[in-house]
Amino acid sequence: MRLFLLVFVAGGCQAVPCPEADENARPTRVPEPPQEDRPACTLSREDASRHARAWLASLAGTEALPDGLAADTACVSHCLQPRDDVEGGGTCPSWECGFRYGEGGHRDGSAPVSVHVVRCGEKSFASLGLAGCFARPHRCELRVGREHAAKLAAVHGTFRYLYLAWVPAAEEFQWIAEDDWRSAAPHELVRISAHDPGDVRPGPAATAPKSEHGSSSD
């Protein structure tokens, strides 16, 4: 019986080639045919900037950048290649492009916006969640400037700092007035929607006893 099995196995290997065995007598996996290489990414800094601008414009339903948004810094590569190669016109599948929203004449009057361009331009997004802001009835339009916000904030008391910031919970930009005269930690006086002048929310410092240090609105 054993002799019959040996003859049967030998005959089978002659009809169909048996897979090669490794040192432990276990059959090795037949190598798969080589796959075609994916095309190299050709997304340059200029290409990334165009993708980022087009994405921001699509949020507002326009062809150009929405009002109030302007390029702030050149796109930065996320690749691990030498920086001088990127500076010299290298390519990378992932970039981060900097913009600012608000009034460009005053640093505190604008907020930074970072747009990520990934997969060689296949997808663009901002970590702020700007899509939610542009989907609202006000379309994320800046309707309250710094000067107007200062007048609204002054109604609630004196303040030392006023700046534009993105508020994730509200999915919008807001003017924030703070009074930090006596403390290392600033006290929030009031928050004013940058899109609705009627949306003014007093902060904790607005109900506190007024100090006599003589600070004035800035």
Side-chain angles (χ1 to χ4, degrees):
M1 183 67 178
R2 181 177 302 176
L3 178 62
F4 172 76
L5 291 176
L6 291 175
V7 173
F8 177 78
V9 172
C13 285
Q14 290 178 359
V16 180
C18 294
E20 297 180 359
D22 58 16
E23 296 178 353
N24 297 322
R26 291 179 300 181
T28 58
R29 180 177 299 179
V30 178
E32 298 179 358
Q35 298 180 353
E36 294 182 2
D37 294 333
R38 298 186 62 182
C41 175
T42 58
L43 190 67
S44 65
R45 175 183 284 108
E46 292 73 19
D47 294 331
S49 178
R50 283 193 290 268
H51 279 284
R53 289 170 178 270
W55 180 77
L56 289 172
S58 69
L59 295 181
T62 59
E63 295 183 358
L65 281 179
D67 293 339
L69 270 168
D72 182 41
T73 57
C75 298
V76 178
S77 166
H78 284 180
C79 288
L80 299 179
Q81 56 188 316
R83 185 169 180 81
D84 56 353
D85 176 63
V86 177
E87 294 292 338
T91 60
C92 179
S94 177
W95 296 80
E96 181 177 346
C97 304
F99 296 82
R100 293 197 76 83
Y101 176 83
E103 302 172 350
H106 198 291
R107 198 68 177 177
D108 290 340
S110 60
V113 176
S114 294
V115 177
H116 302 270
V117 181
V118 299
R119 301 181 204 161
C120 293
E122 179 183 340
K123 181 180 179 181
S124 299
F125 64 93
S127 56
L128 298 184
L130 289 176
C133 186
F134 280 95
R136 298 196 174 193
H138 54 61
R139 300 293 295 162
C140 209
E141 179 184 353
L142 183 67
R143 297 178 181 174
V144 181
R146 192 171 189 276
E147 184 177 351
H148 190 185
K151 292 179 180 179
L152 293 174
V155 175
H156 297 272
T158 57
F159 60 92
R160 187 167 176 80
Y161 295 104
L162 177 67
Y163 59 93
L164 186 67
W166 170 259
V167 180
E171 285 192 327
E172 67 173 16
F173 292 91
Q174 294 180 356
W175 294 98
I176 300 178
E178 293 182 346
D179 181 2
D180 64 345
W181 185 269
R182 293 185 175 183
S183 173
H187 298 283
E188 184 179 303
L189 179 69
V190 66
R191 287 192 175 195
I192 304 166
S193 171
H195 318 292
D196 181 5
D199 188 356
V200 181
R201 308 170 190 180
T207 57
K210 293 185 178 180
S211 60
E212 299 179 357
H213 51 64
S215 65
S216 59
S217 63
D218 183 71

